[in-house]
Amino acid sequence: MSPLTITRTLPADATAAALRADVTHGLTRTPKQLPPKWFYDARGSVLFEEITRLPDYYPTRAEREILLARAGDIAAATGARTLIELGSGSSDKTRHLIGALTGLHTYLPVDVSESALAAAGRALLSDHPTLTVHALVADFQEGFPLPGTPGPRLLAFLGGTIGNLLPEERAAFLHRVRELLAPGDALLLGTDLVKDEATLVAAYDDPTGVTAEFNKNVLAVINRELGADFDPADFRHVALWNAEREWIEMRLRARKELTAKIPALDLAVTFARGEEVRTEVSAKFREDGVRAELAAAGFTLSRWWTDRAARFALSLSVRA
């Protein structure tokens, strides 16, 4: 069996420092906001897995449908010998690609969680013992170096996660991705598509309350890591469709006037009754818009696949 290599590109205290900076900036600005990455501690990751199995949450199933149907086409179009995955997590969906990429030499997962990378890497090697797995502990929104690996390379960014970035952040991100790749390398991008408001809101506001608990988990993270005294019961989960910007917003709305203390930051945060903190933006896309954003970053979109209901898309683009 090939060895599993894990390289840490983040300083040991990087996650703690980023949380402190994001909470300080986000909760002292108007309107208040927090980045969605802070949902995903161990409990948040479990909750998200539950969300993906809910009847109204279609993106995970739709993307998996495309991967199952098109993995062979992706392999034939790219001939990739190196597969890079940003925000790889459990690497569950990527298994369909790894199985189809018959000439694959190296899998290079990138995630902030070293434990998730180690568990996923061991599981993959048990099924693909000759595969080289070189995991990177890194934040995909920041620049990081890639080790030398054989080309051509295919970089996968799945799950519609690019929709969590604001337009200017997406542009900067796609330019950074381009710089990681050589001419002729490819980008496989998952994007959730614009559809009717009822379907979109239902996906982010389930009647069983799992998404609400997931949203409020950011408060539990701040309480645990920064000694804060937020009471999640003081906030209501809100999911709204912004038709002008074509994105879903998740928010936490204060049920009453309150003050939360965050001792690690020497900070007290006041909320008026009804005041909200935005915790996630999830942009939805149209093919023309995706094509234009990729072109602006130096990519040429060559393939566009959707699930049968045209709810979600995978696009394959080549670095110009």
Side-chain angles (χ1 to χ4, degrees):
M1 181 181 292
S2 299
L4 168 64
T5 302
I6 300 178
T7 300
R8 173 175 283 277
T9 69
L10 289 172
D13 62 347
T15 300
L19 176 64
R20 293 167 67 94
D22 285 344
V23 172
T24 301
H25 174 70
L27 295 186
T28 57
R29 56 166 289 162
T30 303
K32 294 179 174 68
Q33 64 182 47
L34 292 166
K37 65 183 178 181
W38 301 118
F39 294 139
Y40 294 96
D41 64 351
R43 176 59 180 155
S45 297
V46 169
L47 287 168
F48 184 71
E49 286 301 314
E50 290 183 31
I51 289 170
T52 66
R53 295 190 290 270
L54 293 170
D56 289 324
Y57 191 81
Y58 60 86
T60 303
R61 289 189 295 275
E63 185 176 53
R64 183 175 287 113
E65 178 189 319
I66 306 168
L67 281 169
L68 286 170
R70 299 296 183 178
D73 296 334
I74 295 165
T78 63
R81 300 200 65 221
T82 294
L83 173 62
I84 304 159
E85 184 179 11
L86 304 186
S88 55
S90 65
S91 300
D92 179 54
K93 287 177 291 190
T94 329
R95 289 173 175 271
H96 306 308
L97 279 177
I98 291 172
L101 290 164
T102 55
L104 188 65
H105 177 277
T106 301
Y107 174 53
L108 210 159
V110 181
D111 202 278
V112 295
S113 171
E114 185 168 348
S115 60
L117 288 167
R122 287 192 295 268
L124 278 171
L125 284 171
S126 69
D127 294 333
H128 303 277
T130 62
L131 184 67
T132 297
V133 179
H134 189 155
L136 289 183
V137 183
D139 185 343
F140 67 74
Q141 288 190 248
E142 306 294 334
F144 57 88
L146 287 178
T149 57
R153 291 173 166 186
L154 170 62
L155 188 147
F157 191 41
L158 303 175
T161 307
I162 194 166
N164 295 146
L165 306 180
L166 297 174
E168 61 273 16
E169 294 171 334
R170 290 201 301 268
F173 167 77
L174 289 171
H175 275 93
R176 285 195 297 272
V177 167
R178 183 184 184 277
E179 293 307 308
L180 291 173
L181 301 177
D185 287 348
L187 167 64
L188 183 68
L189 183 65
T191 48
D192 197 5
L193 301 179
V194 174
K195 56 190 70 67
D196 66 281
E197 180 176 353
T199 298
L200 288 164
V201 172
Y204 291 84
D205 194 9
D206 66 280
T208 60
V210 179
T211 312
E213 188 178 351
F214 176 68
N215 194 4
K216 293 180 183 184
N217 194 58
V218 71
L219 303 178
V221 170
I222 295 171
N223 285 349
R224 184 184 66 246
E225 300 298 330
L226 301 177
D229 61 357
F230 282 103
D231 183 349
D234 288 339
F235 293 84
R236 184 166 76 85
H237 166 68
V238 177
L240 299 172
W241 171 241
N242 186 322
E244 180 183 356
R245 294 184 176 269
E246 294 190 326
W247 65 41
I248 284 280
E249 292 187 17
M250 290 210 314
R251 305 175 185 175
L252 292 172
R253 179 179 295 161
R255 297 180 182 271
K256 62 181 182 180
E257 185 177 325
L258 62 94
T259 299
K261 297 181 177 63
I262 310 178
L265 303 178
D266 193 24
L267 184 63
V269 183
T270 59
F271 287 81
R273 184 176 184 272
E275 186 177 358
E276 297 174 338
V277 51
R278 189 176 75 189
T279 53
E280 182 177 82
V281 162
S282 185
K284 310 305 171 187
F285 296 89
R286 302 176 189 270
E287 181 179 354
D288 288 349
V290 174
R291 188 181 298 274
E293 290 194 36
L294 288 166
F299 288 95
T300 302
L301 193 154
S302 60
R303 305 289 180 91
W304 177 267
W305 299 289
T306 71
D307 62 300
R308 284 167 293 184
R311 299 167 296 177
F312 198 94
L314 283 182
S315 58
L316 188 66
S317 303
V318 178
R319 183 197 188 278

mmCIF file of all heavy atoms in Angstrom, residues 181-198:
data_model
loop_
_atom_site.group_PDB
_atom_site.id
_atom_site.type_symbol
_atom_site.label_atom_id
_atom_site.label_comp_id
_atom_site.label_asym_id
_atom_site.label_seq_id
_atom_site.Cartn_x
_atom_site.Cartn_y
_atom_site.Cartn_z
ATOM 1 N N LEU A 181 -2.518 25.840 -11.591
ATOM 2 C CA LEU A 181 -2.579 24.888 -12.696
ATOM 3 C C LEU A 181 -1.686 25.312 -13.852
ATOM 4 O O LEU A 181 -1.361 26.491 -14.012
ATOM 5 C CB LEU A 181 -4.027 24.762 -13.181
ATOM 6 C CG LEU A 181 -5.048 24.305 -12.132
ATOM 7 C CD1 LEU A 181 -6.450 24.282 -12.714
ATOM 8 C CD2 LEU A 181 -4.665 22.938 -11.560
ATOM 9 N N ALA A 182 -1.318 24.350 -14.678
ATOM 10 C CA ALA A 182 -0.538 24.612 -15.886
ATOM 11 C C ALA A 182 -1.484 24.668 -17.082
ATOM 12 O O ALA A 182 -2.619 24.189 -17.018
ATOM 13 C CB ALA A 182 0.488 23.490 -16.081
ATOM 14 N N PRO A 183 -1.059 25.269 -18.176
ATOM 15 C CA PRO A 183 -1.908 25.277 -19.378
ATOM 16 C C PRO A 183 -2.343 23.862 -19.745
ATOM 17 O O PRO A 183 -1.527 22.933 -19.752
ATOM 18 C CB PRO A 183 -0.998 25.891 -20.436
ATOM 19 C CG PRO A 183 -0.068 26.775 -19.663
ATOM 20 C CD PRO A 183 0.184 26.037 -18.375
ATOM 21 N N GLY A 184 -3.625 23.697 -20.021
ATOM 22 C CA GLY A 184 -4.163 22.394 -20.358
ATOM 23 C C GLY A 184 -4.716 21.616 -19.183
ATOM 24 O O GLY A 184 -5.468 20.653 -19.363
ATOM 25 N N ASP A 185 -4.354 22.008 -17.952
ATOM 26 C CA ASP A 185 -4.969 21.400 -16.777
ATOM 27 C C ASP A 185 -6.436 21.827 -16.707
ATOM 28 O O ASP A 185 -6.844 22.822 -17.317
ATOM 29 C CB ASP A 185 -4.243 21.829 -15.499
ATOM 30 C CG ASP A 185 -2.874 21.166 -15.339
ATOM 31 O OD1 ASP A 185 -2.590 20.213 -16.081
ATOM 32 O OD2 ASP A 185 -2.103 21.613 -14.475
ATOM 33 N N ALA A 186 -7.223 21.084 -15.925
ATOM 34 C CA ALA A 186 -8.664 21.302 -15.938
ATOM 35 C C ALA A 186 -9.219 21.582 -14.554
ATOM 36 O O ALA A 186 -8.651 21.182 -13.532
ATOM 37 C CB ALA A 186 -9.381 20.090 -16.537
ATOM 38 N N LEU A 187 -10.360 22.277 -14.547
ATOM 39 C CA LEU A 187 -11.103 22.587 -13.336
ATOM 40 C C LEU A 187 -12.497 21.979 -13.446
ATOM 41 O O LEU A 187 -13.220 22.238 -14.418
ATOM 42 C CB LEU A 187 -11.217 24.111 -13.163
ATOM 43 C CG LEU A 187 -12.217 24.627 -12.114
ATOM 44 C CD1 LEU A 187 -11.804 24.195 -10.710
ATOM 45 C CD2 LEU A 187 -12.328 26.163 -12.192
ATOM 46 N N LEU A 188 -12.868 21.168 -12.458
ATOM 47 C CA LEU A 188 -14.219 20.602 -12.365
ATOM 48 C C LEU A 188 -14.935 21.346 -11.247
ATOM 49 O O LEU A 188 -14.534 21.271 -10.081
ATOM 50 C CB LEU A 188 -14.165 19.107 -12.075
ATOM 51 C CG LEU A 188 -15.515 18.389 -12.019
ATOM 52 C CD1 LEU A 188 -16.158 18.347 -13.405
ATOM 53 C CD2 LEU A 188 -15.342 16.971 -11.461
ATOM 54 N N LEU A 189 -15.999 22.057 -11.615
ATOM 55 C CA LEU A 189 -16.657 22.975 -10.685
ATOM 56 C C LEU A 189 -18.121 22.599 -10.504
ATOM 57 O O LEU A 189 -18.853 22.429 -11.488
ATOM 58 C CB LEU A 189 -16.552 24.405 -11.228
ATOM 59 C CG LEU A 189 -17.124 25.530 -10.360
ATOM 60 C CD1 LEU A 189 -16.344 25.651 -9.052
ATOM 61 C CD2 LEU A 189 -17.069 26.852 -11.130
ATOM 62 N N GLY A 190 -18.553 22.475 -9.256
ATOM 63 C CA GLY A 190 -19.948 22.215 -8.950
ATOM 64 C C GLY A 190 -20.681 23.496 -8.623
ATOM 65 O O GLY A 190 -20.224 24.273 -7.769
ATOM 66 N N THR A 191 -21.800 23.747 -9.297
ATOM 67 C CA THR A 191 -22.578 24.966 -9.063
ATOM 68 C C THR A 191 -24.060 24.629 -8.960
ATOM 69 O O THR A 191 -24.616 23.959 -9.831
ATOM 70 C CB THR A 191 -22.378 25.995 -10.198
ATOM 71 O OG1 THR A 191 -22.523 25.331 -11.466
ATOM 72 C CG2 THR A 191 -21.015 26.651 -10.128
ATOM 73 N N ASP A 192 -24.699 25.127 -7.918
ATOM 74 C CA ASP A 192 -26.144 24.997 -7.787
ATOM 75 C C ASP A 192 -26.786 26.019 -8.718
ATOM 76 O O ASP A 192 -26.260 27.122 -8.912
ATOM 77 C CB ASP A 192 -26.547 25.253 -6.341
ATOM 78 C CG ASP A 192 -27.939 24.751 -6.024
ATOM 79 O OD1 ASP A 192 -28.559 24.114 -6.891
ATOM 80 O OD2 ASP A 192 -28.404 24.998 -4.893
ATOM 81 N N LEU A 193 -27.924 25.665 -9.293
ATOM 82 C CA LEU A 193 -28.533 26.489 -10.328
ATOM 83 C C LEU A 193 -29.737 27.271 -9.799
ATOM 84 O O LEU A 193 -30.417 26.844 -8.863
ATOM 85 C CB LEU A 193 -28.963 25.622 -11.515
ATOM 86 C CG LEU A 193 -27.840 24.824 -12.186
ATOM 87 C CD1 LEU A 193 -28.393 23.985 -13.328
ATOM 88 C CD2 LEU A 193 -26.721 25.747 -12.675
ATOM 89 N N VAL A 194 -30.004 28.412 -10.425
ATOM 90 C CA VAL A 194 -31.176 29.220 -10.104
ATOM 91 C C VAL A 194 -32.434 28.412 -10.402
ATOM 92 O O VAL A 194 -32.535 27.750 -11.443
ATOM 93 C CB VAL A 194 -31.184 30.534 -10.921
ATOM 94 C CG1 VAL A 194 -32.481 31.310 -10.696
ATOM 95 C CG2 VAL A 194 -29.972 31.393 -10.551
ATOM 96 N N LYS A 195 -33.382 28.466 -9.477
ATOM 97 C CA LYS A 195 -34.662 27.771 -9.661
ATOM 98 C C LYS A 195 -35.717 28.505 -8.848
ATOM 99 O O LYS A 195 -35.460 29.600 -8.344
ATOM 100 C CB LYS A 195 -34.541 26.306 -9.267
ATOM 101 C CG LYS A 195 -34.049 26.101 -7.855
ATOM 102 C CD LYS A 195 -33.717 24.654 -7.579
ATOM 103 C CE LYS A 195 -32.488 24.164 -8.305
ATOM 104 N NZ LYS A 195 -31.233 24.815 -7.838
ATOM 105 N N ASP A 196 -36.893 27.935 -8.725
ATOM 106 C CA ASP A 196 -37.974 28.649 -8.056
ATOM 107 C C ASP A 196 -37.676 28.843 -6.566
ATOM 108 O O ASP A 196 -37.018 28.027 -5.924
ATOM 109 C CB ASP A 196 -39.300 27.907 -8.237
ATOM 110 C CG ASP A 196 -39.290 26.560 -7.528
ATOM 111 O OD1 ASP A 196 -38.714 25.607 -8.075
ATOM 112 O OD2 ASP A 196 -39.845 26.485 -6.414
ATOM 113 N N GLU A 197 -38.192 29.951 -6.028
ATOM 114 C CA GLU A 197 -37.902 30.353 -4.656
ATOM 115 C C GLU A 197 -38.321 29.285 -3.644
ATOM 116 O O GLU A 197 -37.599 29.013 -2.677
ATOM 117 C CB GLU A 197 -38.599 31.673 -4.345
ATOM 118 C CG GLU A 197 -38.372 32.182 -2.936
ATOM 119 C CD GLU A 197 -39.008 33.542 -2.698
ATOM 120 O OE1 GLU A 197 -39.524 34.154 -3.663
ATOM 121 O OE2 GLU A 197 -38.976 34.000 -1.534
ATOM 122 N N ALA A 198 -39.487 28.673 -3.841
ATOM 123 C CA ALA A 198 -39.977 27.702 -2.869
ATOM 124 C C ALA A 198 -39.022 26.525 -2.720
ATOM 125 O O ALA A 198 -38.747 26.065 -1.596
ATOM 126 C CB ALA A 198 -41.365 27.216 -3.278
#
